[in-house]
Amino acid sequence: MTATDRSIELINAAAQAAADKLAHDIIAYDVSDVLSITDAFLLASAPNDRQVKSIVDEIEERLNKGLGAKPVRREGDREARWVLLDYVDIVVHVQHSEERVFYALERLWKDCPELELPADAKETRGKGEEHAKLQAAEEATETDGDWR
C-alpha cells in the first residue's frame, strides 16, 4: 500500500507552508506500509519556540484554507518544543531543533520511502546544522571577550 493522492497533496501543501516560514530540514515519509493509522509523516524543525509556533500556524492555515483540512488533534502547543498536527491521512511533526536531534525520528522511519517534496522544502535540508554552527560561532565570539 502507498500513500493516497490526498495524503501526498496534504504533505506537499504542509511542506511548502513550512518552507515559507523558514523551517529547517523538511522531510516526509510514506509510512502507510508500517502504520495503519496514517499514510505519511512530515518532519520539520526550527531553532526557537516562536518559529515552531509560526510554522505550525502557517501549516494549519494553509491546509484549512487551501484544502479544507483541519487537524483532528493538535498536541504540544504549550511548550512549542514539539507540536504534532494529526490530520488522520498525515501527521505533521514540527520540532525545536534540539528535540529534532535528540529524538531523531528519521532513524525510526529510515526504512520507509521518502516522499518527493516541493523544491523549496528540499532546499531546507542541512539548514538546521548550518544554523547550529553559526550560533555556536556567535556564542564562542561572545564568550571570548568575557574572560577578563
Side-chain angles (χ1 to χ4, degrees), residues 105-137:
L105 294 179
E106 290 90 342
R107 284 188 314 195
L108 292 173
W109 306 110
K110 70 179 182 228
D111 294 334
C112 295
E114 193 175 317
L115 293 171
E116 189 68 25
L117 294 175
D120 292 344
K122 284 188 209 175
E123 291 173 7
T124 66
R125 305 276 172 85
K127 297 286 185 187
E129 189 175 336
E130 285 177 31
H131 184 270
K133 286 179 182 176
L134 285 172
Q135 193 171 16

Side-chain angles (χ1 to χ4, degrees), residues 53-125:
K53 282 184 178 185
S54 176
I55 293 164
V56 167
D57 290 344
E58 183 66 20
I59 291 170
E60 218 174 345
E61 184 175 330
R62 191 90 52 98
L63 268 56
N64 186 18
K65 285 186 178 176
L67 300 171
K70 293 182 180 181
V72 295
R73 195 170 47 138
R74 181 175 172 155
E75 294 182 7
D77 267 345
R78 188 171 300 160
E79 299 84 24
R81 302 286 294 179
W82 181 349
V83 179
L84 179 142
L85 297 172
D86 183 353
Y87 286 90
V88 180
D89 294 326
I90 70 167
V91 175
V92 177
H93 300 269
V94 182
Q95 298 175 296
H96 190 287
S97 298
E98 292 170 0
E99 266 68 12
R100 178 82 177 260
V101 170
F102 183 78
Y103 289 102
L105 294 179
E106 290 90 342
R107 284 188 314 195
L108 292 173
W109 306 110
K110 70 179 182 228
D111 294 334
C112 295
E114 193 175 317
L115 293 171
E116 189 68 25
L117 294 175
D120 292 344
K122 284 188 209 175
E123 291 173 7
T124 66
R125 305 276 172 85

